[in-house]
Amino acid sequence: MNEKQLMRVMVHLAEERVPADADLWPAIRARLETSKAQTPKGDLSMNAKTNHRRGLRLAATIALALLAGVGLLLATPQGRVWAQGVLQFFTRAESDTLPVQSWQLTPIPTAETTPTPDPASILDAGLTVAAVEQQAGFDVLEPTWLPTVLSFAGASLEPEHPIARIFYRLEDTNGLVLREQPFTRTEDCQLCGEVGASAAVETVKIGDATGEYAEGVWSLTDSGPVWQNDPYLKTLRWQSGDVALELQFMGPPDAVTKEDLIAVAESLK
Amino acid sequence: MDEKQAIARLKRGDPGGLETLVQLYQLRALRTACLIVGDRAQAEDIVQSAFIRAGEKIDQFDSRRPFEPWFLRSVVHDAIKAADRQKRFTSLDAHEEGEVLDLLDPAPLPEELVEAKETWQAVWRALGQLPARQRAAIVLRYYLEMPESEMAAALHGPTGTVKWWLHAARQRLEKLLRPERAPEESAGAPGAGEAQKSGGQR
């Protein structure tokens, strides 16, 4: 079966499961009436805007109070030391939401556009580690131990920064990415990205080095990225010499644990 | 009343605007949710709630943009959450396994097979065996025909990750729909992971 045929089968399935005469409006209207009966204004819940706005004002007040508190804290020398000392490899955002990012506004490419290979995608990672190392011009470390559920899928190089990536696939779904980037100034470290304000970042030992571990992901929404503390995505970051390293596992939380990530990190040669 | 008028009315607090949006978009939303959660009643509940929430949050919607992608993202998100809770919507029992077909061979299938209900049912059962995010990726790509960039927005993941989900989903579907292989060919697959947790193909 080719893709077009699969599309036709999906349409058949959809039409079979939900015939065209489906009408949700009576049920939705009934639910709105129920909520109308439960609201003091007796208005349909579309006009629950007032409550929503009141909630927003309260949230904004709390957020401003928190920001003012953090601002005051950071204004003191102790506060600045605290802020710098808490996280080394992760940068904590001021909140769990970020403004809409410029790349989110980029127009969707048309079908005629020839897609450029994405070094961040396992599907475009067609190089060997040796080939990446040769092109990168720095020693690319490789794990000498991996959880048995993972197998090598490919490697890629993003030459501008430069960042080497080695991908390990989990059976059928998701997997592990090892990213390595030489850097000399903190502001050049592409791997020292932000986590949400509520992220639990844990300091861990990796051999003699100290690293940081966090679980969570920035989810894209129309109003910008929103941080979610989601164990489906685990990230471990540390530094070896002038190289920033990151292990990121995406997949079922029990398939690869924090301890596994540390063991992989300790095995790098 | 068209979409823009409906949204303008809804922004003024008039639920009549919502009725128009329901009439315009309920079918695709309901079918999308049903393909992801595998249950019509649950899909109806998800879509009803999504419409009510859309009505409540319409102030946050940018009227210059089309409503449907914004709304479908919410439906897909809720459907994945619901599907995650139920893990999978069907099980391949012993006598169903014999009916699997070599459906994802890139070669075109004979037309009569594409139109055969047995084929649809085999795909339906295989879909039910996929992890929720992979199932959603298949639905978005092959039912809604979304490009990967739109899928990334709907599935709340970077494009590379979404490509990965789709690739993994197709591989998994292929395995589920492939006729049974010789034991030595299928027994050596390494690892456990989600494949085994969600039942695998055996």
Side-chain angles (χ1 to χ4, degrees):
Chain A
M1 181 187 292
N2 58 27
E3 296 206 340
K4 281 203 162 60
Q5 290 177 327
L6 181 56
M7 284 174 176
R8 275 167 49 204
V9 170
M10 294 297 287
V11 170
H12 281 312
L13 279 175
E15 289 173 353
E16 185 189 47
R17 304 283 154 173
V18 183
D21 59 0
D23 186 7
L24 297 181
W25 178 243
I28 291 172
R29 176 147 192 100
R31 284 173 67 168
L32 290 174
E33 295 285 356
T34 307
S35 68
K36 165 192 168 185
Q38 289 167 354
T39 53
K41 275 184 80 175
D43 206 348
L44 282 184
S45 53
M46 296 305 94
N47 274 340
K49 282 182 195 170
T50 316
N51 288 336
H52 175 64
R53 282 180 183 145
R54 197 176 296 138
L56 280 179
R57 272 202 298 274
L58 180 63
T61 307
I62 292 170
L64 280 173
L66 281 173
L67 279 175
V70 171
L72 279 174
L73 176 66
L74 296 183
T76 64
Q78 295 91 335
R80 282 196 294 273
V81 169
W82 171 81
Q84 287 160 8
V86 170
L87 296 181
Q88 188 179 354
F89 305 109
F90 289 99
T91 309
R92 197 184 290 281
E94 287 184 354
S95 80
D96 279 350
T97 59
L98 297 177
V100 174
Q101 307 292 294
S102 56
W103 51 265
Q104 283 186 269
L105 303 173
T106 307
I108 295 165
T110 59
E112 293 77 33
T113 308
T114 308
T116 48
D118 177 4
S121 167
I122 189 172
L123 299 178
D124 295 336
L127 299 176
T128 62
V129 176
V132 166
E133 192 166 51
Q134 195 176 17
Q135 293 175 31
F138 63 91
D139 287 337
V140 176
L141 301 177
E142 272 188 277
T144 53
W145 178 85
L146 276 178
T148 53
V149 294
L150 297 171
S151 55
F152 176 73
S156 70
L157 179 71
E158 197 175 333
E160 307 88 68
H161 299 306
I163 296 175
R165 288 178 175 81
I166 310 178
F167 294 87
Y168 300 92
R169 193 189 306 281
L170 180 69
E171 172 72 3
D172 274 345
T173 173
N174 306 317
L176 178 73
V177 189
L178 167 63
R179 297 202 291 171
E180 306 177 32
Q181 185 205 5
F183 74 107
T184 48
R185 300 181 312 159
T186 307
E187 53 268 36
D188 294 335
C189 176
Q190 298 287 320
L191 304 191
C192 305
E194 284 185 315
V195 290
S198 69
V201 180
E202 189 181 337
T203 302
V204 294
K205 294 298 287 180
I206 299 165
D208 295 333
T210 301
E212 283 163 1
Y213 170 82
E215 293 180 354
V217 64
W218 289 104
S219 292
L220 294 184
T221 71
D222 279 346
S223 48
V226 175
W227 178 260
Q228 288 184 336
N229 290 304
D230 182 350
Y232 206 80
L233 196 120
K234 302 180 172 82
T235 306
L236 176 66
R237 289 179 184 159
W238 73 106
Q239 190 173 347
S240 174
D242 287 340
V243 178
L245 296 124
E246 179 193 83
L247 277 169
Q248 192 165 65
F249 174 71
M250 189 173 70
D254 297 338
V256 172
T257 63
K258 176 182 77 178
E259 288 71 27
D260 289 333
L261 289 185
I262 293 172
V264 172
E266 289 178 335
S267 81
L268 291 188
K269 288 236 169 90
Chain B
M1 192 182 349
D2 66 13
E3 176 183 312
K4 289 209 180 306
Q5 291 167 324
I7 289 167
R9 279 181 66 176
L10 197 49
K11 285 196 173 193
R12 292 195 299 269
D14 178 356
L18 185 64
E19 182 178 2
T20 301
L21 294 174
V22 170
Q23 301 307 340
L24 285 172
Y25 300 117
Q26 62 180 342
L27 201 54
R28 253 160 73 91
L30 191 50
R31 286 171 171 169
T32 299
C34 190
L35 288 172
I36 295 173
V37 297
D39 178 77
R40 165 81 184 262
Q42 198 175 8
E44 285 191 4
D45 190 52
I46 287 167
V47 177
Q48 286 170 18
S49 300
F51 271 120
I52 291 171
R53 207 169 47 248
E56 289 168 352
K57 295 190 171 178
I58 198 69
D59 277 351
Q60 298 171 25
F61 175 68
D62 179 353
S63 307
R64 291 166 300 181
R65 296 186 175 203
F67 177 80
E68 193 185 33
W70 181 72
F71 176 66
L72 280 179
R73 279 201 286 275
S74 164
V75 170
V76 168
H77 177 256
D78 291 354
I80 290 174
K81 276 204 309 195
D84 265 336
R85 283 194 294 271
Q86 70 188 34
K87 297 296 177 194
R88 50 189 174 140
F89 60 70
T90 59
S91 63
L92 275 176
D93 62 32
H95 40 278
E96 283 176 330
E97 279 190 37
E99 298 170 11
V100 293
L101 301 164
D102 200 358
L103 293 179
L104 286 188
D105 187 311
L109 206 64
E111 284 304 301
E112 61 272 20
L113 261 184
V114 177
E115 300 303 325
K117 279 210 167 188
E118 291 75 17
T119 303
W120 310 352
Q121 297 315 316
V123 174
W124 176 254
R125 283 195 302 275
L127 271 179
Q129 297 294 306
L130 297 180
R133 283 178 175 81
Q134 289 185 13
R135 197 186 308 154
I138 291 283
V139 172
L140 266 51
R141 180 73 192 96
Y142 297 110
Y143 173 61
L144 293 178
E145 299 185 28
M146 278 187 183
E148 281 167 352
S149 49
E150 269 184 50
M151 288 175 65
L155 294 173
H156 292 198
T159 310
T161 305
V162 168
K163 276 185 191 172
W164 189 351
W165 282 337
L166 188 60
H167 172 75
R170 277 197 58 99
Q171 279 191 330
R172 184 84 191 278
L173 262 190
E174 189 177 352
K175 279 186 185 171
L176 289 165
L177 293 169
R178 189 180 293 156
E180 287 193 271
R181 297 286 171 92
E184 61 273 19
E185 206 174 333
S186 57
E194 197 153 335
Q196 289 185 358
K197 280 181 190 167
S198 60
Q201 84 244 43
R202 307 265 320 156

